[in-house]
């Protein structure tokens, strides 16, 4: 039996708009990405870089400079509704907040592959051949998953 792998993105797109799901996953049509994806990609890349390189010694100013460089390198291919300077300011705020938060730092394993069997919500039985697939950034405990 072939296993079906579902991701949050695929399920969410299908629930919200079956036509968009078809265009993206069946027809392979690429859409211009917006601000939230741009911001999320830069923040995610920053977190991965810090975890790979070690957590030590960035000042808030260095974080801002690094984020600005990352944003400039990645800015093409996205659709913006606000100014790039405002978007960079938000990315700097998010990265600085994360970096200075001891509660969160240090628990991450960037892009760890996770497969979880789906269960029937009524019976609790595992649905054979269907798994939820994700690439996560870490765990707080056995129940709470972290993804940026």
């Amino acid at each position: 039996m072939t296993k079906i792998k579902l991701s949050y993105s695929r399920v969410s797109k299908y629930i919200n708009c079956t036509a968009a799901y078809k265009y993206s996953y069946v027809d392979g049509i690429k859409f211009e990405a917006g601000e939230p994806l741009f911001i999320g990609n830069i923040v995610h890349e920053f977190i991965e870089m810090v975890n790979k390189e070690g957590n030590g010694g960035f000042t808030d100013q260095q974080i801002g400079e690094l984020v600005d460089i990352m944003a400039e390198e990645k800015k093409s291919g996205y659709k913006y509704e606000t100014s790039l300077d405002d978007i960079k300011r938000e990315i700097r705020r998010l990265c600085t907040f994360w970096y200075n938060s001891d509660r969160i730092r240090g628990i991450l394993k960037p892009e760890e592959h996770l497969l979880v069997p789906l269960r029937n919500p009524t019976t609790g039985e595992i649905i054979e051949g269907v798994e939820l697939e994700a690439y996560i950034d870490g765990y707080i405990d056995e129940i709470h998953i972290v993804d940026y």
Side-chain angles (χ1 to χ4, degrees):
M1 174 191 296
T2 304
K3 285 193 175 186
I4 299 170
K5 292 182 182 176
L6 301 173
S7 67
Y8 173 81
S9 304
R10 284 180 178 242
V11 172
S12 178
K13 187 168 279 190
Y14 185 82
I15 288 169
N16 291 315
C17 182
T18 55
Y21 176 89
K22 180 184 179 298
Y23 297 147
S24 294
Y25 296 108
V26 177
D27 300 336
I29 298 171
K30 301 288 182 199
F31 293 94
E32 190 173 47
E35 289 175 28
L37 183 61
F38 177 71
I39 292 170
N41 284 342
I42 300 298
V43 171
H44 197 268
E45 186 176 320
F46 173 79
I47 291 169
E48 284 185 340
M49 187 229 26
V50 168
N51 279 298
K52 287 178 183 171
E53 301 296 323
N55 291 335
F58 286 114
T59 65
D60 289 356
Q61 181 177 345
Q62 289 170 322
I63 291 170
E65 292 167 0
L66 181 59
V67 163
D68 284 351
I69 292 168
M70 294 165 78
E72 283 296 323
E73 290 174 353
K74 306 248 186 260
K75 69 183 178 184
S76 64
Y78 292 91
K79 181 179 178 181
Y80 306 106
E81 295 179 18
T82 58
S83 76
L84 186 58
D85 286 338
D86 287 343
I87 294 168
K88 285 183 192 176
R89 213 172 352 270
E90 178 62 8
I91 295 170
R92 285 193 299 270
R93 185 189 71 74
L94 292 167
C95 289
T96 302
F97 174 79
W98 174 82
Y99 186 79
N100 292 319
S101 175
D102 289 333
R103 185 181 69 78
I104 297 173
R105 267 189 328 146
I107 60 161
L108 303 178
K109 301 174 183 176
E111 294 306 301
E112 183 175 333
H113 187 237
L114 178 70
L115 284 173
V116 178
L118 292 185
R119 294 183 179 273
N120 180 316
T122 305
T123 66
E125 294 178 9
I126 291 176
I127 302 170
E128 292 297 324
V130 182
E131 294 176 317
L132 179 64
E133 180 176 41
Y135 290 87
I136 62 169
D137 294 314
Y139 306 92
I140 293 175
D141 54 38
E142 296 82 22
I143 297 173
H144 300 92
I145 295 173
V146 178
D147 193 33
Y148 292 98

